[in-house]
Amino acid sequence: MQHDDSLNNLAAFTPKSPLASDDYKLRRATLLGLAQQMVEQSARKSVGEMLNSVLAISTRTRRILKPVVSIELDVFSPNGNRAILLDYHAPKAED
């Protein structure tokens, strides 16, 4: 079944970003590197653009430093078939 293959692929997914690492020091170093790049790029920005950059950094920091959450959902109909199809598309970050 195609849906089962997709679920197995999702279950086996391993994030490759250093921001998803369990190592706090690696996540922090990566986040500081991102912040440094943003500072270097903002050398010629207006006050409004720099304020937007600061707000983006603080939002990312809050989101990244929160613990990872996982949700398992199994819903079956009385005849044993899957009773729900959950299709979640995460919003894309616009940088």
Side-chain angles (χ1 to χ4, degrees), residues 18-86:
L19 294 174
S21 171
D22 290 334
D23 182 10
Y24 172 77
K25 290 181 182 178
L26 178 60
R27 286 194 322 258
R28 182 174 168 77
T30 303
L31 188 59
L32 289 174
L34 287 171
Q36 182 62 33
Q37 285 178 346
M38 290 179 77
V39 167
E40 291 170 1
Q41 292 173 356
S42 68
R44 292 181 298 249
K45 288 187 177 180
S46 70
V47 172
E49 291 172 328
M50 289 185 356
L51 180 58
N52 285 336
S53 295
V54 169
L55 292 173
I57 290 171
S58 67
T59 301
R60 284 182 187 159
T61 303
R62 267 194 312 277
R63 187 175 59 240
I64 289 170
L65 296 180
K66 289 188 176 186
V68 177
V69 174
S70 69
I71 299 172
E72 288 188 33
L73 177 66
D74 289 324
V75 180
F76 296 95
S77 66
N79 64 4
N81 293 330
R82 290 204 178 270
I84 187 169
L85 172 63
L86 183 62

Side-chain angles (χ1 to χ4, degrees), residues 56 60 93-95:
R60 284 182 187 159
E94 294 180 17
D95 294 316

